[in-house]
Amino acid sequence: MLFFKPYRAPVKGAVVLITGAGSGIGRLMAIEAARRGARAVIVWDMNAQAGAETAGLAEAAATAPQFRAGSFHVDVTDATAVHEAANQTLDEFARVDILINNAGIVTGKPLLETTDSEVQRSFAVNTIAHYRTVREFLPGMIARDRGSVVTIASAAGLVGVPRQCDYNGSKFGAVGFAQSMREELRHMRSHVHTLLYCPYYISTGMFDGVKTKFPLVLPILTPEKVATQVLDAIDRGTQFKVHPPIVRLVQILQAFPVPFMDAMVELFGVADTMNGFRGRAGDATK
């Protein structure tokens, strides 16, 4: 029990569902999953047209015989919509082997400028939606004793950053959710795999305008690299991945006194990364 490990859930032959896959890394993961031999790719997105476009691109990239792609217009902040879409998904595809919770949103405002509705939406998309989607598809995985639940969180779920109070809080929540879910599954001896992925900033436009002080050490990541890393991690059975690896240092630094931790955050320029933030207003995908 001490070293109980989940089974791997390879992308090849799997039915893969990705939330927020109408654009950004969600779209790239959908295409790459199809290219790697997924049996089916299911796109959930707020933008029905963008979701359908992603499904079409996945079909064009598919290598598996009799590949299927599906697209559903879903607002992951709406519990009823999630439940109905999940039922439709299972009716059409029978099962979901790999669930990738990718949908995300950021406001990029100082705490005192962030409205109550913006805070609630950040948590609804970045945290609460994970609970809803997992409740729909995890029971089937547990019954089959295999599958994978992927949480696309953020380095912002490991360390606080100015102008990210709502985003940081929601991503810390996603990290805690993923860690607790992993322990629950391990405790019940389920072989269902979980992956918690925490990347630094990604150049999708969601964080347009952010800067990094040391690009060789803390680079702004390309969406193509991130999409490939996530699927590689699923295929390898990795359970926790941070990129770039130096971000793991923040977990070590948190054991030191707060003034030292704050000094390190300043030294690496993390506290200034959002100074030029513009982002994409209302963007709800990675």
Side-chain angles (χ1 to χ4, degrees):
M1 179 61 183
L2 185 62
F3 297 106
F4 185 85
K5 294 183 65 176
Y7 293 137
R8 292 187 182 184
V11 174
K12 185 176 182 180
V15 177
V16 182
L17 188 156
I18 308 170
T19 67
S23 62
I25 64 171
R27 170 172 286 187
L28 293 172
M29 286 190 291
I31 295 169
E32 182 62 18
R35 189 177 292 131
R36 293 190 184 202
R39 175 182 175 181
V41 169
I42 304 158
V43 177
W44 279 18
D45 201 90
M46 273 281 291
N47 186 321
Q49 180 178 345
E53 289 173 357
T54 297
L57 291 169
E59 286 181 339
T63 59
Q66 299 181 325
F67 172 86
R68 297 176 64 201
S71 174
F72 295 85
H73 176 215
V74 188
D75 178 357
V76 294
T77 69
D78 184 332
T80 300
V82 168
H83 182 64
E84 291 177 351
N87 285 339
Q88 293 170 12
T89 296
L90 293 175
D91 285 344
E92 187 171 338
F93 292 88
R95 71 178 196 266
V96 168
D97 299 310
I98 299 174
L99 168 63
I100 304 178
N101 278 310
N102 166 73
I105 192 168
V106 63
T107 60
K109 295 181 179 180
L111 170 63
L112 298 182
E113 295 178 17
T114 310
T115 66
D116 187 60
S117 62
E118 287 171 333
V119 173
Q120 290 185 31
R121 182 159 176 78
S122 291
F123 277 84
V125 176
N126 299 343
T127 313
I128 304 302
H130 295 212
Y131 288 79
R132 291 177 176 145
T133 58
V134 170
R135 282 185 183 135
E136 298 291 345
F137 300 111
L138 183 59
M141 296 182 193
I142 291 174
R144 295 186 296 273
D145 201 27
R146 70 174 57 240
S148 181
V149 177
V150 181
T151 301
I152 306 298
S154 170
L158 305 174
V159 62
V161 179
R163 295 182 64 175
Q164 288 191 18
C165 284
D166 58 326
Y167 185 75
N168 276 137
S170 65
K171 289 299 183 178
F172 267 81
V175 168
F177 165 77
Q179 291 177 337
S180 182
M181 176 177 56
R182 183 189 70 229
E183 289 302 318
E184 280 195 17
L185 290 167
R186 185 183 69 84
H187 188 69
M188 65 188 290
R189 293 181 178 269
S190 169
H191 288 97
V192 174
H193 167 262
T194 64
L195 166 63
L196 170 58
Y197 182 69
C198 296
Y200 193 56
Y201 295 115
I202 308 170
S203 60
T204 59
M206 181 174 171
F207 278 99
D208 187 34
V210 299
K211 304 292 183 183
T212 183
K213 184 177 181 180
F214 300 110
L216 293 179
V217 179
L218 285 171
I220 304 296
L221 307 176
T222 64
E224 292 79 9
K225 183 176 183 64
V226 169
T228 299
Q229 277 195 345
V230 172
L231 295 182
D232 284 347
I234 296 170
D235 278 335
R236 292 169 183 163
T238 302
Q239 292 180 277
F240 181 38
K241 185 171 182 62
V242 175
H243 194 73
I246 194 173
V247 173
R248 289 294 297 269
L249 282 176
V250 301
Q251 294 177 297
I252 299 173
L253 291 173
Q254 285 169 351
F256 290 84
V258 170
F260 181 80
M261 171 69 176
D262 288 347
M264 291 299 100
V265 170
E266 289 287 348
L267 176 65
F268 283 96
V270 175
D272 296 321
T273 54
M274 293 288 287
N275 289 353
F277 172 81
R278 294 183 297 275
R280 292 188 299 216
D283 191 353
T285 59
K286 286 287 186 185

